[in-house]
Amino acid sequence: MILIGQYDSPFVRRVGIALTLYELPFEHRPWSVFGDGDRIAPLNPLVRVPTFELDDGLVLVESHAILDYLDNLVPPELALFPRTEPGRHRALRVAALAMGLAEKAVSLFYELRLHDQVSEAWAGRCRSQIAGALAALERERAERIGDWWFDDRIGHADIALACALRFAGEAHPDLVALNDYPALEAHCARCEELDVFRTISQPFIPPA
């Protein structure tokens, strides 16, 4: 299996972390949608990452779809999303909030850095959505007891949250200050101390 994309993307990083935790062998190609778009396009017409090529040549796109596939390669008790309700939809919800926060952080970065004329209405909306997601996640994480959000071991929701926070903080240091969110800061620090997070890691590299 081949994972395409750089690890400064929270979407690529969460897949790389899951693959490593699952001990599934894979090749990593750190291609950028800006610098390597011509190589990604034949595999993924959306020219987005992560792009994930299976052993049979089929290409999956979008981190959630990729993780859904990977979860079915391992025994049910090892899956990083719960297989049964109500735990499943609750974990999916937190992961979706975290990835939504990351998507808004990406949108805001592109608006501020790649457009000659910034839409203040759009930038303001992105900032408001990021702040709203951070506040909601901080409030809910502070209510949870234990190292991990839903269980006594790390899950996809934990990984998604840490990857999103790392990216948002690096892409928008003036907007996302984790010391303003102590529960999220502690969660992120706990994840980043793990060997898998140290290995599957890359500082944010702004597109040229």
Side-chain angles (χ1 to χ4, degrees):
M1 296 185 288
I2 303 171
L3 175 60
I4 296 171
Q6 297 186 346
Y7 287 146
D8 62 349
S9 161
F11 312 100
V12 177
R13 192 183 185 206
R14 71 187 297 225
V15 174
I17 288 171
L19 282 162
T20 304
L21 288 173
Y22 283 155
E23 298 182 351
L24 295 170
F26 70 100
E27 176 187 342
H28 178 222
R29 295 180 183 172
W31 296 351
S32 161
V33 295
F34 288 92
D36 304 290
D38 58 337
R39 292 199 279 185
I40 296 173
L43 299 170
N44 180 353
L46 294 172
V47 194
R48 295 177 62 178
V49 293
T51 292
F52 191 66
E53 185 173 353
L54 306 184
D55 291 338
D56 64 3
L58 183 68
V59 175
L60 301 180
V61 302
E62 301 294 341
S63 60
H64 178 72
I66 296 167
L67 294 177
D68 183 70
Y69 172 79
L70 297 180
D71 285 355
N72 285 284
L73 297 182
V74 300
E77 65 274 12
L78 297 182
L80 294 171
F81 270 136
R83 293 286 178 87
T84 58
E85 299 294 356
R88 181 170 177 79
H89 77 266
R90 291 174 177 170
L92 284 166
R93 174 182 171 275
V94 171
L97 277 173
M99 288 294 97
L101 185 157
E103 288 170 0
K104 289 302 172 181
V106 171
S107 293
L108 179 60
F109 181 84
Y110 286 168
E111 183 64 34
L112 297 178
R113 291 288 298 270
L114 301 184
H115 293 171
D116 292 332
Q117 185 171 348
V118 173
S119 168
E120 291 301 334
W122 177 250
R125 180 174 175 82
C126 288
R127 291 188 183 100
S128 176
Q129 290 169 305
I130 291 169
L134 286 169
L137 289 165
E138 168 67 18
R139 181 175 62 253
E140 294 185 25
R141 186 64 182 96
E143 294 173 353
R144 309 296 297 188
I145 299 174
D147 287 347
W148 309 114
W149 198 300
F150 293 105
D151 207 341
D152 58 357
R153 67 185 180 97
I154 196 169
H156 282 314
D158 302 296
I159 297 166
L161 180 57
C163 290
L165 293 173
R166 163 83 175 266
F167 171 80
E170 292 186 349
H172 304 286
D174 57 335
L175 177 64
V176 181
L178 283 185
N179 54 11
D180 292 335
Y181 305 94
L184 298 182
E185 183 179 37
H187 181 97
C188 196
R190 186 176 300 112
C191 290
E192 295 291 351
E193 289 173 356
L194 299 176
D195 287 343
V196 64
F197 275 78
R198 295 174 185 268
T199 301
I200 310 297
S201 178
Q202 177 184 319
F204 176 57
I205 302 175

